[in-house]
Amino acid sequence: MKAAVHHIYGDESTIRFEQVLLRKLEASEVLVKVVATTVNRTDCAYLTGKPVIMHLVAGFRKPRNPITGSDFAGTVESVGEKVSKFRAGDRVVGLDADQCSSHAEYVIISEEEGIAKVPDECSYAKAAASMEGAHYAYNFIKRIPDIQGKSILVNGATGAIGSAGLQFLKYHGAKVTAVCRTAHDAIVRELGADDIIHYDREDFTEADTTFDVIFDAVGKSTFGKCRRVLTSQGLYISSEFGPKIQNPVLALFTPLRKGQQVRFPIPTDTNKSISYALERLKDGSFKPLIDREYDFEEIKEAYHYVLKGQKVGNVVLKFDH
Ligand SMILES: NC(=O)c1ccc[n+]([C@@H]2O[C@H](COP(=O)([O-])OP(=O)(O)OC[C@H]3O[C@@H](n4cnc5c(N)ncnc54)[C@H](OP(=O)(O)O)[C@@H]3O)[C@@H](O)[C@H]2O)c1
């Protein structure tokens, strides 16, 4: 099969197309012909080996797994002899945030790990765009107790994580203030934001109000700077480690005292996030944002764009089988 492969860490210029042999399926595995996948920030971390801590998971000197790709939507081509939930021809979607090598014509995944049927009427592109950002958003917001009625600021509300998070928070009844660039005002309004702060005009950390929760979905702020706009028992959640890798440390120590808290959730249980995202898709409360679509052959262009850190929602790669 044709796959996008990288043997060294770096930017998109390290990617080559190679013919890769498909291995034999294990008894509990499913072979999926990929129709759509995304190029996302998780993939960028595996491609570049940045932040440096990525070398611990992706391979110390060079990428352990040369094929990037963490999500997919496509059709089941064949199944192992013990697979009971899927059969050839099923429309499926899936995610493995530790890389399932979906930037290739086919992907192999265990039926128990990160795969589900695509809801009727949902396109493959939309299904693929409902995976990575939604997975992190779900895992971050589930650490917020009693969301209903809370005043929550989402920084980076147009990103893959932020746009999913904003919609999930609205579903659970939060009052959401979204932070985005002025040009994206209409997008976040459409996603359900109650209030909007334009970061190119105003610094939200200098707002004259306080929030119960600050969810920094792009990791551009710090707990220190946000404290004055957090309520006295407020919660700070970031999708990034912080400029001094302080967020995991603060998440360990702030719960030992009363007052403002930091959470740095480690996403777990991909099956749960997938079923949550698909339920929201089905009930209409979640519409994944798709910024651009590229053909698989244009994967370098897609990475180049995503690496800039300015995509609006998700960037989809399509296969023409
Ligand atoms: N903790 C984890 O396990 C984990 C997993 C995946 C990703 N991440 C990290 O989470 C972050 C978000 O990922 P993502 O895929 O959602 O990102 P993304 O889609 O690339 O985010 C792009 C968005 O960020 C917004 N943005 C850029 N600079 C901003 C600023 N200074 N203030 C506010 N918004 C700004 C932009 O909004 P405008 O267009 O409106 O300017 C753009 O729409 C990334 O830093 C990524 O590395 C963490």
Side-chain angles (χ1 to χ4, degrees):
M1 67 164 176
K2 187 172 175 182
V5 171
H6 72 128
H7 296 289
I8 53 170
Y9 292 118
D11 63 15
E12 73 277 1
S13 64
T14 61
I15 298 171
R16 305 275 175 271
F17 288 111
E18 288 181 11
Q19 286 297 325
V20 177
L21 272 183
L22 260 177
R23 65 173 173 79
K24 201 169 168 286
L25 285 186
E26 302 277 338
S28 62
E29 287 180 334
V30 179
L31 175 67
V32 179
K33 190 180 210 177
V34 181
V35 178
T37 173
T38 72
V39 173
N40 55 56
R41 297 292 296 276
T42 299
D43 301 329
C44 289
Y46 277 88
L47 180 78
T48 58
K50 289 180 187 164
V52 179
I53 200 164
M54 280 306 296
H55 288 236
L56 292 178
V57 282
F60 192 62
R61 285 170 180 276
K62 59 178 188 158
R64 205 175 292 124
N65 177 356
I67 309 175
T68 55
S70 46
D71 52 25
F72 61 87
T75 50
V76 173
E77 187 80 359
S78 60
V79 297
E81 71 247 21
K82 290 203 177 137
V83 169
S84 58
K85 297 180 195 159
F86 304 97
R87 58 183 183 186
D90 282 348
R91 300 170 78 235
V92 290
V93 61
L95 169 78
D96 178 352
D98 297 325
Q99 300 286 275
C100 60
S101 305
S102 53
H103 292 163
E105 289 176 314
Y106 293 88
V107 68
I108 293 175
I109 191 159
S110 160
E111 75 161 339
E112 301 300 339
E113 288 167 25
I115 174 167
K117 289 189 184 153
V118 174
D120 295 342
E121 316 292 326
C122 178
S123 70
Y124 288 114
K126 200 169 153 188
S130 303
M131 293 290 107
E132 191 255 6
H135 165 64
Y136 290 113
Y138 169 70
N139 275 278
F140 295 155
I141 70 152
K142 79 178 185 192
R143 299 292 302 278
I144 304 171
D146 308 323
I147 292 174
Q148 170 80 37
K150 280 212 162 105
S151 160
I152 301 182
L153 178 138
V154 179
N155 190 32
T158 44
I161 300 175
S163 59
L166 193 171
Q167 295 176 79
F168 297 162
L169 289 167
K170 284 309 297 174
Y171 172 79
H172 291 289
K175 178 177 181 291
V176 178
T177 299
V179 181
C180 67
R181 213 185 316 167
T182 310
H184 293 148
D185 186 282
I187 296 174
V188 295
R189 185 87 58 200
E190 177 74 26
L191 295 177
D194 298 284
D195 289 312
I196 301 174
I197 295 176
H198 303 120
Y199 73 81
D200 46 355
R201 290 185 182 176
E202 188 186 345
D203 180 348
F204 77 83
T205 65
E206 285 168 15
D208 53 6
T209 185
T210 54
F211 303 94
D212 299 313
V213 180
I214 291 179
F215 171 26
D216 188 349
V218 277
K220 298 286 184 191
S221 67
T222 61
F223 175 56
K225 273 196 157 180
C226 289
R227 293 191 74 168
R228 66 165 289 282
V229 285
L230 262 184
T231 55
S232 60
Q233 303 298 312
L235 198 58
Y236 175 81
I237 302 176
S238 175
S239 65
E240 281 286 356
F241 289 95
K244 295 180 181 158
I245 322 282
Q246 69 271 44
N247 290 334
V249 180
L250 288 165
L252 282 177
F253 290 106
T254 52
L256 302 177
R257 57 161 177 76
K258 288 190 175 151
Q260 297 168 333
Q261 304 279 310
V262 175
R263 296 279 183 277
F264 187 73
I266 308 290
T268 52
D269 202 345
T270 309
N271 285 329
K272 200 121 183 245
S273 349
I274 293 177
S275 61
Y276 178 87
L278 296 182
E279 275 166 35
R280 298 288 74 77
L281 264 182
K282 280 191 254 182
D283 68 24
S285 57
F286 172 46
K287 295 184 181 71
L289 271 186
I290 296 181
D291 181 342
R292 295 183 181 186
E293 297 191 3
Y294 291 89
D295 291 333
F296 177 49
E297 284 66 29
E298 300 171 310
I299 188 168
K300 287 189 188 192
E301 287 88 331
Y303 263 113
H304 180 76
Y305 180 59
V306 175
L307 280 164
K308 288 183 188 163
Q310 290 293 340
K311 70 179 161 64
V312 178
N314 301 276
V315 167
V316 171
L317 274 186
K318 294 174 302 174
F319 289 75
D320 186 15
H321 286 287

